[in-house]
Amino acid sequence: MTIPQSFIQELLARVDVVDIVGRYVQLKKGGANFMGLCPFHGEKSPSFSVSPAKQFYHCFGCGKNGNAISFLMDHAGMGFVEAVQDLAQGVGLQVPDDDISPQERERAAAARQKQATLSDVLEKAADAYRRHLRESQRAIGYFKGRGVSGAVAKRYGLGYAPEGWRSLASVFPRYDDPLLEESGLVIVGEEGQDKRYDRFRDRVMFPIRNVKGECIGFGGRVLGDDKPKYLNSPETPVFHKGRELYGLFEARTAIREHGYALVTEGYMDVVALAQLGFPNAVATLGTACTPEHVHKLLRFTDAVVFSFDGDNAGRRAARKALDGALPHATDTRSIKFLFLPAEHDPDSFIRAHGTDAFAQHVGNAVPLSRFLVESASEGCDLATAEGRAHMASNARPLWTALPDGVLKRQLLGELAELTQLNARDLSELWNSGGGAREPARVPAPAPRPQAPAASPYADEPPWGDMPPPDLDGWQPHHEPEYVGGGGTSGGYEAPGAGGYGGGKPPFRKNSGGGDWKKGSNGKWSKRDKDAPWPPQPRLPRTPAMGRADHAARLLLSHMAFLEELTHDDHAALCAQPSPHGPLFTWLEAQFHEHGPLAWAVLRESLRDHECEDLAVKVMTGAHAQTEGELAELRLELRDLLNRMLIEDIAEQQKLLMLQAAQDPSALERYRALEQKRKILLGVNTATA
């Protein structure tokens, strides 16, 4: 879907960023701006400012900033198109799309209207269930028995569906309204409309919300021992089990603050964990974890911990979660698996052993790489050739699902060692069967040509009527130095001032009898080896390229690298001064909307865009060539981003030192940033 830039500009002119942010953050007037607690990091004193004049938000604590669209993308986890559609619907605008027919556009509008209508119906039912909970001592007693406080019950919107076949008839004037069936609230029997009845009866209710906070379905749990123990809403136009996660809307801020998402198996696990100090927990909806689940979580964090029971069912669920996580296990993400004792779930474990013990288990969770090897080796006797071959067969589809990168190459070596093969043989074996491609290898540098001991043409002039000299008899007089950054050009320059102008040329003949020169008569003769060379013309130089230019060049050339960046990386790029910051913001929006695109496609999309000149500049000239191993280019980008992050931390530390006298917590934030800076410096050293 292509949204014209003119429409984006009109949309941002119509919406009020204060209203959009105010849906999620409690704002108070403070001078010309509104202030509140930053939703992107934990803080006790407000440093999050929203400007109605600039239609922009900025946090002086963490540096997060942007407009109404970026806020919905960063805070609510929406994609670019989804955020634009959400804002457009609020101000009565129709999102244009030249790529679809009027009939398709009409159908899309009808689908959006149906989704909004169904969400309204479900929200009305959720309000009724919450009222019924306040009136049911039995349901309240159940939650109290599980240790759930009123505050947590309110946060998650917990409710109760009373006994009786048609309790919703008192909520909706038309109990035969088709929307009640379509939303999954009412079941219609085969005998006809007279056999309509409520789906949820005598159950405590867990409303399921999407990332925008809209109610899209329910989960209900019986109070006794009836079956089924848990009952979920069916698939509807607004609810798809394979895409949604229970508790994600409530946990999104805690996930950012804690630095990871904790994935559990049930609604009650999520609520209990939030009560016991782990509000960053979410749960799948009675189905196996899918790649869509993992991708949605990774919008909010780069670290995910799956928590499962230690019994056989828990191991099977973990194995399915591994399949869902593999396509997203890039080198910059952490995905782990936590297995509790067979007799415990997270709730019972914490109550028996305490939060510290559970936190320790989280810290010691099994990394994805180790769990992959364990899963492949399960049931295989690695002491025998047959067992090792069986393990390799199991490992092949798992390893193939991993995205290309350092992790994938390391695992190839580990799996090869277990099979008692070398990595090249294992890769070739898998390739020969039509499976995974062999990862690209960095070619070994070609050996430098060595000068012969005595060139046959060592004492002959280099040109003339005779055969040309052996080029292997010529060696560089010096190694050229690459000059980048600073105030000099990004090309090659000879040592000494003035490039080649006042010194020796880059190549001298390897002979002991001096060099050759051409006289005015056109004849070649020997010249004195100490005589100065005539002045040489200066070579044309490419303008210097800064870090932001290099990062733009790499990302425009290899847009898929955006998928591997952290939230801090994205923030640092988008916060760059204009025109670089807007270019990175635009590029990220294109990625969310279309996925990775070739530079030729991006070039056409940039026609008449404010960032067109910058993009064309960084993608033009010799410096724009990015041929080479992807692993090396990724390391180059990582190094650039780390340096940019270090510079940003230094600026934040300066501000914190100024605030320290009035805000004691500023020093604590300063120390946290210093620790982060040291980690980045360590990464720089390792990749240098």
Side-chain angles (χ1 to χ4, degrees):
M1 181 177 186
T2 303
I3 303 176
Q5 190 63 31
S6 58
F7 177 81
I8 301 299
Q9 295 170 352
E10 179 185 359
L11 177 63
L12 292 176
R14 289 204 190 187
V15 301
D16 186 354
V17 71
V18 177
D19 291 339
I20 304 304
V21 175
R23 298 180 193 170
Y24 306 91
V25 180
Q26 185 175 355
L27 299 173
K28 292 184 179 180
K29 195 79 165 68
N33 299 331
F34 289 81
M35 300 295 295
L37 297 176
C38 179
F40 301 110
H41 80 287
E43 62 178 7
K44 296 182 179 179
S45 56
S47 62
F48 187 75
S49 173
V50 184
S51 170
K54 298 179 180 178
Q55 288 296 299
F56 208 72
Y57 63 86
H58 179 80
C59 177
F60 294 96
C62 67
K64 204 76 171 178
N65 58 73
N67 56 30
I69 296 175
S70 64
F71 182 84
L72 291 180
M73 292 174 65
D74 290 338
H75 184 63
M78 300 183 192
F80 176 75
V81 175
E82 187 181 4
V84 170
Q85 290 175 339
D86 182 80
L87 293 175
Q89 185 177 5
V91 294
L93 288 178
Q94 176 68 43
V95 180
D97 185 2
D98 298 334
D99 299 335
I100 63 175
S101 65
Q103 294 79 8
E104 291 173 326
R105 188 178 296 114
E106 185 176 342
R107 284 195 294 269
R112 287 194 295 272
Q113 181 60 43
K114 173 59 68 69
Q115 290 176 348
T117 303
L118 290 177
S119 292
D120 289 342
V121 170
L122 290 163
E123 192 58 59
K124 190 172 183 179
D127 288 338
Y129 293 146
R130 286 191 286 270
R131 290 196 303 271
H132 288 309
L133 176 61
R134 292 193 292 268
E135 300 165 0
S136 173
Q137 293 302 316
R138 182 162 162 262
I140 292 175
Y142 171 81
F143 283 126
K144 283 186 175 181
R146 299 295 299 265
V148 178
S149 67
V152 169
K154 181 179 180 181
R155 177 183 174 189
Y156 285 87
L158 304 183
Y160 171 66
E163 296 179 277
W165 291 93
R166 294 193 173 195
S167 65
L168 289 177
S170 63
V171 179
F172 297 95
R174 286 188 54 206
Y175 191 70
D176 60 349
D177 189 337
L179 289 173
L180 296 183
E181 178 187 1
E182 195 169 358
S183 64
L185 293 171
V186 166
I187 297 175
V188 177
E190 295 180 358
E191 292 83 355
Q193 295 297 321
D194 293 338
K195 294 296 182 179
R196 299 169 69 91
Y197 56 94
D198 293 356
R199 180 179 300 274
F200 301 101
R201 305 178 305 280
D202 193 24
R203 292 175 180 267
V204 288
M205 299 296 290
F206 301 84
I208 303 165
R209 297 169 173 144
N210 60 20
V211 292
K212 294 186 286 185
E214 300 168 337
C215 185
I216 57 175
F218 292 95
R221 188 195 189 284
V222 296
L223 296 177
D225 297 324
D226 295 341
K227 302 295 181 182
K229 185 177 181 181
Y230 283 98
L231 181 64
N232 297 320
S233 291
E235 295 280 318
T236 70
V238 296
F239 178 56
H240 305 280
K241 297 177 185 178
R243 302 178 194 168
E244 303 297 338
L245 289 156
Y246 176 71
L248 181 57
F249 173 74
E250 293 83 0
R252 64 198 189 286
T253 300
I255 287 172
R256 291 192 178 100
E257 292 176 357
H258 286 70
Y260 71 97
L262 183 62
V263 184
T264 62
E265 295 186 83
Y267 306 108
M268 202 59 224
D269 284 334
V270 172
V271 175
L273 284 169
Q275 183 72 56
L276 296 169
F278 294 88
N280 53 326
V282 299
T284 54
L285 299 168
T287 185
C289 185
T290 66
E292 289 81 1
H293 287 142
V294 180
H295 187 263
K296 181 166 288 190
L297 278 174
L298 292 172
R299 290 183 183 179
F300 298 89
T301 180
D302 291 320
V304 177
V305 177
F306 292 98
S307 175
F308 299 101
D309 300 346
D311 56 14
N312 291 333
R315 301 289 296 192
R316 288 193 297 271
R319 181 62 179 77
K320 292 177 181 178
L322 175 65
D323 291 334
L326 285 172
H328 303 288
T330 64
D331 297 340
T332 60
R333 291 168 175 163
S334 170
I335 299 175
K336 296 184 176 182
F337 296 82
L338 166 64
F339 297 99
L340 296 173
E343 67 274 14
H344 282 298
D345 57 26
D347 180 19
S348 65
F349 183 89
I350 292 177
R351 296 184 190 282
H353 302 283
T355 57
D356 290 342
F358 185 74
Q360 185 175 359
H361 269 65
V362 171
N364 296 332
V366 178
L368 175 142
S369 58
R370 195 195 315 165
F371 187 46
L372 183 151
V373 174
E374 291 177 359
S375 298
S377 305
E378 188 174 1
C380 301
D381 182 2
L382 299 185
T384 67
E386 291 83 357
R388 293 191 293 271
H390 189 186
M391 188 277 292
S393 178
N394 294 341
R396 178 180 175 180
L398 301 177
W399 181 85
T400 303
L402 283 168
D404 229 0
V406 175
L407 175 63
K408 187 171 186 177
R409 297 189 184 194
Q410 288 180 330
L411 274 169
L412 179 65
E414 186 172 344
L415 293 168
E417 184 176 351
L418 289 172
T419 57
Q420 296 185 11
L421 297 171
N422 62 52
R424 182 189 297 270
D425 289 343
L426 182 61
S427 180
E428 289 177 351
L429 182 64
W430 283 349
N431 284 338
S432 65
R437 293 188 309 168
E438 180 179 0
R441 292 186 293 273
V442 179
R448 176 178 296 174
Q450 299 297 320
S455 171
Y457 305 104
D459 202 32
E460 296 291 336
W463 294 282
D465 298 332
M466 64 199 70
D470 184 358
L471 292 181
D472 283 344
W474 291 75
Q475 292 299 319
H477 178 63
H478 61 80
E479 288 292 338
E481 295 178 355
Y482 180 78
V483 183
T488 59
S489 73
Y492 284 93
E493 186 172 27
Y500 299 148
K504 303 290 185 181
F507 291 93
R508 298 284 301 277
K509 193 157 188 288
N510 250 350
S511 68
D515 300 296
W516 290 86
K517 64 179 179 180
K518 192 172 187 178
S520 58
N521 59 359
K523 301 292 185 180
W524 285 94
S525 62
K526 277 194 174 182
R527 64 183 296 279
D528 189 305
K529 64 179 180 180
D530 295 323
W533 286 91
Q536 301 292 319
R538 295 182 67 86
L539 298 176
R541 297 184 176 183
T542 305
M545 293 282 288
R547 288 173 186 158
D549 292 314
H550 283 296
R553 170 179 56 83
L554 288 166
L555 291 173
L556 287 168
S557 303
H558 303 281
M559 198 176 176
F561 287 2
L562 284 169
E563 182 72 14
E564 304 166 14
L565 304 188
T566 66
H567 295 289
D568 287 345
D569 294 335
H570 287 293
L573 290 172
C574 295
Q576 292 295 306
S578 183
H580 292 85
L583 176 60
F584 290 123
T585 301
W586 176 86
L587 188 62
E588 185 174 349
Q590 293 291 306
F591 181 76
H592 281 299
E593 186 176 350
H594 303 293
L597 299 174
W599 160 241
V601 179
L602 291 172
R603 176 65 185 88
E604 293 302 315
S605 301
L606 278 164
R607 299 290 179 189
D608 300 323
H609 192 273
E610 60 176 327
C611 302
E612 180 181 5
D613 290 342
L614 171 63
V616 171
K617 184 189 79 170
V618 300
M619 293 299 290
T620 304
H623 59 265
Q625 303 306 313
T626 59
E627 288 82 5
E629 293 293 326
L630 290 180
E632 293 179 355
L633 297 177
R634 285 188 174 95
L635 288 176
E636 181 183 351
L637 178 61
R638 181 73 264 153
D639 181 70
L640 289 168
L641 291 170
N642 286 345
R643 294 175 186 275
M644 294 165 71
L645 291 171
I646 289 169
E647 290 178 352
D648 183 60
I649 287 173
E651 293 299 320
Q652 293 183 52
Q653 288 178 322
K654 290 179 184 178
L655 292 176
L656 289 172
M657 290 304 294
L658 296 175
Q659 300 171 8
Q662 291 79 26
D663 184 7
S665 65
L667 287 177
E668 187 63 30
R669 297 202 299 273
Y670 181 97
R671 284 191 285 268
L673 286 172
E674 181 63 14
Q675 182 66 24
K676 189 174 181 180
R677 187 184 73 87
K678 290 180 178 178
I679 293 173
L680 288 170
L681 285 172
V683 172
N684 273 343
T685 302
T687 59

